[in-house]
Amino acid sequence: MTPGRLPGIVAAVVLVLAAAPSEVAAGPPYEGRSLREVLAELEEGGLALVYSSDLVRPEMRVREEPAAGSVQDMLDELLRPHRLAPAIGPRGRILIVRREARPIEARFGRPTPGELVTNRLEVLLQVEAEEPVDRVRILVDGRQEAVLTRPPFRTSVELPAGEGMRELTAHVEGAWGGRGLASVEARQYQVTDSVELVLRQLFVAVHKSGRPLRGLTEEDFEIVEDGARRQIVTFGNGDEPLSAAVLLDLSGSMSGAGCELALAAAGAFLSRLGDADRGMVLAFSDRTLAVTPFRPSREHFAAHPCPSPHASSTVLNDHLYAGLRLLDEETARRVVVLITDGADVSSVLDMSDVLWKVERSTAAIYWIRVSAAGASYGSAWRGVEDNRRQQELLERAVELSGGSIVRLDDTSRIGSAFDEILEELRSQYVLGYYSEQAASGRHGKMRVLVDRPLADVTLREASRGD
Amino acid sequence: MSAPRTSTTAGLVLCLLALGPVADAAARREARREYLEILSLWAGGSPDPAVQRLAAALTGSEADDGTVAVVRAVRPTARRLARNLGTGALVPVALLHEEAYARCVREQPRRAAGALRPALEVLSILEAEAKTADERAVVSALLTSLAGRMAEAHVERSSLALVRSAARVDPTNRAALFAVARSAERFGDHAAAVRSLQALLRLDPDHRESRLRLALNLMRVGKEDEGLDELRRLVAGSGPADWIAAVARQELARVLIDRDDIARARDVLAEIPDRRRRDPSLAVQTAFADERAGSGEVEDLFAALSLAAAGSEAPSRTLYLRPPNDLLAELRRDLVRRGQEWSPRVDRFLRDHQPVPSRR
């Protein structure tokens, strides 16, 4: 074989194949063709292959178009599905040989050794193999419970009721004959009683010498409930991205100049969000006036014109629910900023429905309460007493969410109210822990300790069923 | 025909509106002459100048001198007309005063209350004179119409008192029964609303808005199953796809959601026709039902709210607060027709019995 006889690329490949991988040009499609035919084509191109017809049989087909960047890898890809492999032979020839079956490494990711499990057992097997895995059999105490044929090797197994150690074994069978075995023991327990836990969130502001103390980590905090230390299960600080839904009530008292101010302040609020933050606006009266998508704050909404004043009817409850629901798919820290006098008139949802949602949401509600007017009004939809109850439930929703109420006597201060909220959000730490007291309806005495001398800690809490 | 007297209903209202100082005799004669000119204009087919002059006379001065003067002019004139022509002659007079009140509400709302006094004086005389069922029906209609104007001006308590009188005077007055129900509902007296609506539906079983309100008020007084039956009657079959049907479906769905019957609630909501689907409350309620069922996409809610924001139609639940009042409109059309029938006779009488120097 002389290099001069060979087409350029294949000749170069032959020369370097034994030494280092080489780039391969885009050849004809191989998938589905006879393996022998493809190998013959490569030989015609100058590749010196040696193989037996017992190994490369006529019925073998190329199963998948090779994607390798070198001839060596490409040949490996062509041969691997047939349990064959290229090997360097004498005088630079390439021998096609049967692949050796090698042991397959397998271990259980779930359950972990000694893990406490109930009668529903989540199983995850981690497998490392050179060859394709044909199947994995999962056995519990010697009895086969599941057969898995493709990764990820994950399943759940129902165990019979009972307690004690359970032995799980996994038998892995490779396509080339390789075998693997893994086992683990888990402890099954019977649930005879349940302890309800409620995830409680604490919103903590830490100041030193009157200035917010930023950069604290989870390790700097300690939560104490009724004298008992609680483990922090979630932690966030003010630098975490925000997703903010600004809900603007533009009916009745908010019409005219109040509307202009509210829109300008909402725009300023959104423009002050960071690059990673997202904001949207939902404006309403007795109907939806405007809804913008969540988008990076720098592209925030262009100012919407104030609508002509509508009658005093307001659909507050429905739009608060909508704002919370729209936040559900946001991954950042969720915040609702609500600007309203709090007077709902014609919502289809009761505020107790919104409270149901608040209990299932992680959004904090900040209510910029325009005017402190009481709820002494009635309509065909709700009487005076019911309206008073609606406002009380809204106050409860804000408290439950861990947000706060910023009271405004007039709308001229609305911009500074937004600033106040943003400043609070930026300087807050959010600590989550499981509270048994909350689950039993009691309200434990809370303390948060911060590992910083002379630091002032301001605490607000939100509790939601988990 | 016996001597005119002041009835208990309108008289009571008049007592509440204290009369001002007594004008002197010359001023009184001048006021009466001015009033007769205005009445002549109205009956003679020049309604706008008549209403404008009467409104000006009623609100022209800071004190209520103008009102007092008009009231003093109304009494003898109305009594003379009733005595000579019959109570029907007071229909155009009452309508003039109602129009003047409406104009005052629009143009001088702070002084509009004064315009009610002469309007009520006319109705008081008319009510006292009404003997036949038809005459009582006319009195009741005029009371209802004026009460409607008062309700539009947010004088709601007095409006309710007046319309209750109208319903007592003529228990078959559907517009009055409806107005009583609406006001009672507005003030949280749901039992009274139920009584009025049931009376109305006995007279007019096909009045769908009354059936919707009856359903809701029944539920509010604790008769939830009866209310649900009424709602089901409203949404059954192929009724009009209007705001009434939409509210009925939403209220039915609301109760079903409260009862954790989410699947049926979603079915009920899904049948609201496309025309009403731009309503944000429908989008929210559907999303809420979906979430309670553990399903639903946030994108769907966003799309529905975007659609609602692009719409201009008043939401169904807003229309429940401010419905187009078909019964009152029908009643007013009938009163105007009656007024037009009587106006020529009133005009002739005024010409024959009262020297009118000139028509300005």
Side-chain angles (χ1 to χ4, degrees), chain A residues 157-462:
Chain A
V157 172
E158 292 291 334
L159 300 178
E163 289 189 325
M165 298 306 290
R166 301 286 176 212
E167 185 185 23
L168 280 85
T169 50
H171 295 271
V172 185
E173 299 169 15
W176 306 336
R179 295 289 182 267
L181 181 67
S183 66
V184 69
E185 281 193 335
R187 180 181 294 277
Q188 184 184 3
Y189 66 94
Q190 193 67 34
V191 178
T192 55
D193 196 5
S194 64
V195 176
E196 189 183 352
L197 296 173
V198 170
L199 177 65
R200 176 170 277 176
Q201 283 187 307
L202 302 174
F203 296 87
V204 183
V206 184
H207 289 83
K208 191 169 183 181
S209 305
R211 304 185 65 168
L213 201 54
R214 299 176 196 256
L216 300 179
T217 65
E218 185 176 339
E219 287 71 33
D220 294 318
F221 291 91
E222 189 174 315
I223 297 175
V224 180
E225 184 185 42
D226 281 346
R229 190 174 181 278
R230 300 290 181 212
Q231 187 183 354
I232 297 172
V233 293
T234 62
F235 179 82
N237 61 31
D239 295 332
E240 285 198 354
L242 292 175
S243 282
V246 179
L247 273 54
L248 286 172
D249 171 1
L250 300 181
S251 65
S253 60
M254 294 297 292
S255 61
C259 167
E260 302 285 353
L261 285 166
L263 279 175
F269 173 80
L270 292 181
S271 68
R272 287 183 56 198
L273 295 179
D275 287 341
D277 299 328
R278 285 155 60 87
M280 61 90 67
V281 171
L282 179 56
F284 60 93
S285 57
D286 68 333
R287 62 201 72 189
T288 305
L289 298 172
V291 57
T292 71
F294 283 98
R295 58 181 60 174
S297 58
R298 291 189 193 287
E299 301 167 21
H300 74 263
F301 76 113
H304 286 273
C306 280
S308 55
H310 289 284
S312 56
S313 176
T314 308
V315 181
L316 166 60
N317 298 356
D318 290 356
H319 285 94
L320 179 52
Y321 169 80
L324 291 165
R325 184 77 179 106
L326 292 175
L327 278 165
D328 274 350
E329 292 197 350
E330 292 297 301
T331 53
R333 186 176 165 197
R334 298 158 188 163
V335 178
V336 167
V337 183
L338 172 65
I339 302 102
T340 180
D341 57 6
D344 180 81
V345 176
S346 49
S347 283
V348 71
L349 296 188
D350 192 271
M351 189 53 81
S352 58
D353 296 326
V354 181
L355 208 55
W356 176 90
K357 175 64 187 168
V358 170
E359 288 169 351
R360 286 154 183 81
S361 166
T362 57
I365 302 171
Y366 287 83
W367 175 13
I368 299 177
R369 187 172 191 171
V370 181
S371 92
S376 57
Y377 66 96
S379 77
W381 282 116
R382 276 195 216 96
V384 174
E385 279 307 311
D386 201 2
N387 281 323
R388 194 170 289 131
R389 186 180 65 88
Q390 298 292 309
Q391 288 216 351
E392 287 168 1
L393 287 175
L394 175 56
E395 290 168 8
R396 172 79 187 118
V398 172
E399 181 190 2
L400 189 67
S401 76
S404 65
I405 301 174
V406 181
R407 293 173 196 276
L408 286 186
D409 290 333
D410 66 85
T411 50
S412 64
R413 280 190 54 246
I414 203 163
S416 56
F418 271 106
D419 292 345
E420 201 177 306
I421 291 167
L422 196 56
E423 178 62 28
E424 181 171 323
L425 289 169
R426 288 293 183 225
S427 62
Q428 253 181 6
Y429 298 90
V430 186
L431 280 56
Y433 74 101
Y434 285 110
S435 168
E436 289 180 28
Q437 271 80 351
S440 59
R442 287 182 291 123
H443 201 82
K445 186 180 178 186
M446 295 307 310
R447 275 198 311 152
V448 170
L449 308 176
V450 179
D451 187 17
R452 289 289 186 281
L454 302 176
D456 292 327
V457 179
T458 312
L459 184 66
R460 191 159 56 237
E461 57 189 297

Side-chain angles (χ1 to χ4, degrees), chain A residues 19-50:
Chain A
S22 176
E23 293 303 308
V24 70
Y30 294 134
E31 186 178 345
R33 293 172 60 191
S34 159
L35 182 61
R36 273 192 182 180
E37 186 183 309
V38 170
L39 294 178
E41 206 168 275
L42 291 173
E43 283 185 284
E44 282 173 17
L47 206 59
L49 297 172
V50 178

Side-chain angles (χ1 to χ4, degrees), chain B residues 44-337:
Chain B
S46 303
D48 289 344
V51 172
Q52 186 182 356
R53 279 174 65 178
L54 182 54
L58 288 163
T59 59
S61 62
E62 283 297 323
D64 55 358
D65 301 2
T67 300
V68 171
V70 172
V71 168
R72 288 185 178 281
V74 163
R75 284 176 190 154
T77 308
R79 283 172 181 154
R80 273 183 67 206
L81 285 169
R83 196 177 301 128
N84 289 281
L85 300 177
T87 55
L90 295 189
V91 173
V93 181
L95 290 176
L96 165 65
H97 283 280
E98 186 186 313
E99 287 297 329
Y101 169 67
R103 188 176 186 114
C104 292
V105 167
R106 283 196 304 274
E107 296 178 355
Q108 301 254 26
R110 293 170 69 182
R111 295 190 193 171
L116 281 174
R117 293 188 197 177
L120 291 168
E121 182 74 29
V122 175
L123 294 178
S124 166
I125 294 167
L126 184 55
E127 185 183 350
E129 288 295 303
K131 298 293 181 292
T132 66
D134 186 56
E135 285 172 332
R136 282 197 296 276
V138 171
V139 172
S140 177
L142 286 166
L143 286 166
T144 306
S145 185
L146 181 62
R149 302 281 193 188
M150 292 161 73
E152 289 160 17
H154 306 292
V155 187
E156 294 185 58
R157 292 272 178 201
S158 299
S159 170
L160 176 57
L162 212 58
V163 85
R164 276 187 170 143
S165 299
R168 273 197 299 273
V169 170
D170 176 14
T172 67
N173 182 341
R174 293 175 304 144
L177 290 169
F178 185 77
V180 168
R182 275 199 63 199
S183 293
E185 181 183 45
R186 166 84 175 73
F187 290 115
D189 188 353
H190 302 298
V194 166
R195 285 194 298 274
S196 284
L197 290 164
Q198 286 174 331
L200 196 163
L201 284 163
R202 278 193 292 274
L203 298 165
D204 185 356
D206 295 329
H207 198 253
R208 297 172 66 252
E209 187 182 336
S210 294
R211 193 162 299 286
L212 172 65
R213 289 178 187 276
L214 174 63
L216 268 55
N217 282 285
L218 279 169
M219 290 195 283
R220 288 165 185 164
V221 296
K223 296 180 178 176
E224 190 165 272
D225 288 337
E226 286 179 50
L228 284 176
D229 286 345
E230 296 292 350
L231 287 178
R232 290 192 182 105
R233 284 178 66 180
L234 271 172
V235 304
S238 55
D242 54 5
W243 69 270
I244 297 169
V247 169
R249 285 193 177 277
Q250 284 197 277
E251 288 301 303
L252 189 53
R254 193 177 55 73
V255 175
L256 291 170
I257 291 170
D258 285 346
R259 293 179 174 184
D260 253 349
D261 193 351
I262 309 293
R264 282 175 63 201
R266 292 164 87 191
D267 290 345
V268 166
L269 292 174
E271 286 174 25
I272 291 179
D274 289 346
R275 204 177 134 253
R276 304 294 325 174
R277 296 206 80 82
R278 284 176 175 246
D279 196 324
S281 73
L282 176 59
V284 167
Q285 196 179 19
T286 303
F288 181 65
D290 285 346
E291 191 181 5
R292 289 282 300 266
S295 62
E297 299 293 334
V298 170
E299 289 78 10
D300 292 344
L301 174 61
F302 181 80
L305 289 174
S306 301
L307 190 67
S312 58
E313 197 167 356
S316 304
R317 299 176 72 81
T318 296
L319 289 174
Y320 188 85
L321 295 169
R322 302 192 304 259
N325 194 333
D326 55 335
L327 294 173
L328 185 60
E330 183 185 327
L331 176 143
R332 280 184 175 149
R333 279 195 298 275
D334 185 57
L335 284 174
V336 168
R337 184 185 54 75

